[in-house]
């Protein structure tokens, strides 16, 4: 009888520990049209992480001035194919931030300029320490064969504490397509990053390869791993 009670207590404690360890991170996803979020990016967040999950809130650009971002653990801003009307109220760099937006790098102190590269073959990036990875499964779309671009923060114009994770792999052009910054890093607007930042410049998500999706997942995990206080 005592043995059964001891086993019951053991399994109860084990179950309780598993429940306690399960975490939820709240993600603020800011975009122009909340009814049309990027499904590929969302699919990465929906995979969750070991012993945890992401709770995504879609925040209309029009509502950012009224949003209490202190309720969120992570900030994500996608590309939306157009400028955000209230970009100055989006706290990129004031909290852990994942940026796949190419329109406001200057406004947020990430870089004075963002540029792009495209080609007549599916684009690749060179991942630092991990070789070449194809990021799009095609080079061109539409009847006119429009080339798919990837974007990068120009080395000479970006915030000095960004580090290259993946760079362009075309000729002599070696610019950071995926870049990371540690908390406390210097931004060009005079601020210091309050949390890690990851810039992800592979924005044509309809054509992403699995390698490109994994690189975005790495971007998310890099920012997430430094969050000191989890909300349950």
């Amino acid at each position: 009888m005592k043995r059964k009670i001891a086993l019951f207590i053991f399994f109860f404690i084990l179950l309780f520990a598993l429940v306690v360890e399960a975490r939820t991170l709240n993600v603020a996803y800011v975009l122009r049209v909340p009814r049309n979020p990027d499904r590929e990016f969302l699919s990465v967040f929906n995979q969750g992480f070991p012993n945890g999950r992401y709770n995504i809130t879609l925040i209309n650009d029009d509502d950012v001035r009224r949003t209490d971002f202190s309720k969120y653990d992570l900030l994500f801003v996608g590309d939306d194919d157009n400028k955000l009307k209230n970009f100055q109220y989006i706290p990129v760099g004031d909290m852990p931030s994942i940026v796949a937006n190419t329109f406001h790098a200057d406004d947020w102190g990430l870089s004075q300029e963002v540029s792009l590269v495209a080609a007549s073959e599916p684009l690749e990036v060179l991942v630092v320490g991990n070789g070449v990875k194809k990021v799009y499964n095609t080079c061109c779309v539409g009847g006119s064969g429009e080339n798919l671009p990837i974007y990068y923060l120009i080395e000479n114009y970006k915030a000095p504490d960004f580090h290259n994770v993946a760079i362009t792999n075309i000729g002599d052009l070696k610019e950071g397509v995926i870049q990371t910054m540690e908390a406390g890093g210097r931004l060009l607007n005079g601020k210091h990053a309050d949390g890690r930042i990851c810039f992800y410049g592979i924005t044509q998500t309809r054509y992403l390869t699995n390698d490109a999706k994994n690189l975005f997942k790495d971007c998310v995990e890099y920012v997430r791993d430094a969050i000191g206080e989890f909300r349950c």
Side-chain angles (χ1 to χ4, degrees), residues 32-50:
R32 286 173 58 90
V33 186
R35 69 175 179 273
N36 189 33
D38 192 300
R39 301 297 175 185
E40 294 297 336
F41 287 142
L42 280 181
S43 70
V44 172
F45 283 110
N46 288 337
Q47 294 174 23
F49 55 94

Side-chain angles (χ1 to χ4, degrees), residues 23-31 37-38 41-42 44-49 52-60 67-78 91 95-99 216 220-221 223-224 227 230-231:
R23 305 286 186 175
T24 296
L25 287 181
N26 296 310
V27 180
Y29 178 1
V30 179
L31 65 172
D38 192 300
F41 287 142
L42 280 181
V44 172
F45 283 110
N46 288 337
Q47 294 174 23
F49 55 94
R53 59 183 287 271
Y54 298 105
N55 178 43
I56 311 294
T57 300
L58 304 179
I59 299 174
N60 193 312
T67 300
D68 179 8
F69 284 95
S70 68
K71 299 189 300 183
Y72 299 97
D73 302 288
L74 286 170
L75 171 66
F76 173 60
V77 190
M95 62 185 295
S97 304
I98 302 154
V99 180
F216 181 70
V220 174
E221 290 178 348
V223 175
R224 183 204 72 215
I227 295 175
F230 290 89
R231 293 187 176 91

